[in-house]
Amino acid sequence: MLSNLANQLKEAGMEDKYQDLLDEMPRVRKDAGYPPLVTPSSQIVGTMATFNVMSGERYKMVPNEFKDLVRGKFGRTPVPVEKDFITKTLGIPKDHIIEDCSIEDAKAETFAQFESELVEKGFLNPTEEDVLSYALFPQVAEEFFKKHYKPVTAYKR
């Protein structure tokens, strides 16, 4: 992760900001409720820290993935994220914050919807893993499915 972020700084001609990036990452992680530094949350935190350093201003440009992380879409963080940070700093309305929602609760409401979408796109009998991949990363998952599964476009009798 760090080598990717260093390359991003280098490509932008800001390789001298690497230490600033290393200093910013724990601050972003704290703001986000100390998510575990595993994929994808580590990449989301690193990207947010890089944006902060490159723009010279904290949270000037905020990717949707970071907003989803702090509002609870990836699950509950070890430390609750400050509501003022979510609403005032990031501009996310209070009704878009996911409170006390377990993965099972979210899955119960939307799993069938995502599964139905996959079937409509011609991917019959998707596995639970396929549906969850599609729910989290729809474009990436769909491209993967097109390469690895043959979608059914019509039934032959």
Side-chain angles (χ1 to χ4, degrees):
M1 176 184 76
L2 290 176
S3 61
N4 279 346
L5 299 175
N7 285 335
Q8 287 179 15
L9 289 176
K10 187 176 182 179
E11 288 174 11
M14 302 177 85
E15 55 268 6
D16 60 319
K17 299 286 187 186
Y18 187 68
Q19 186 59 50
D20 294 340
L21 174 63
L22 294 178
D23 295 339
E24 180 64 5
M25 286 184 63
R27 290 191 290 261
V28 170
R29 189 166 177 240
K30 178 183 178 210
D31 291 343
Y34 293 102
L37 291 180
V38 296
T39 303
S41 59
S42 64
Q43 294 168 324
I44 294 168
V45 168
T47 299
M48 187 69 254
T50 304
F51 283 170
N52 287 350
V53 169
M54 291 175 77
S55 71
E57 185 178 332
R58 298 190 83 217
Y59 306 110
K60 181 178 181 180
M61 301 180 301
V62 181
N64 287 333
E65 292 82 4
F66 186 77
K67 289 180 180 181
D68 288 345
L69 176 69
V70 298
R71 72 184 188 94
K73 195 169 181 182
F74 289 94
R76 193 176 312 133
T77 54
V79 174
V81 180
E82 294 291 324
K83 299 259 188 296
D84 281 352
F85 173 74
I86 297 171
T87 57
K88 292 179 182 169
T89 305
L90 301 181
I92 298 171
K94 286 183 182 184
D95 62 340
H96 284 84
I97 300 171
I98 301 170
E99 304 242 12
D100 245 3
C101 177
S102 72
I103 292 173
E104 288 301 316
D105 292 340
K107 187 174 119 179
E109 290 180 24
T110 60
F111 189 87
Q113 293 170 318
F114 289 116
E115 184 176 36
S116 177
E117 282 181 35
L118 279 174
V119 170
E120 286 174 20
K121 292 177 184 231
F123 302 105
L124 302 180
N125 301 318
T127 66
E128 187 171 282
E129 184 179 354
D130 292 341
V131 176
L132 293 174
S133 296
Y134 178 72
L136 291 171
F137 309 103
Q139 294 90 1
V140 175
E142 192 170 343
E143 285 302 311
F144 176 84
F145 298 152
K146 285 178 184 175
K147 290 178 184 175
H148 292 74
Y149 305 133
K150 293 183 180 181
V152 177
T153 55
Y155 293 103
K156 293 183 181 179
R157 292 187 181 224

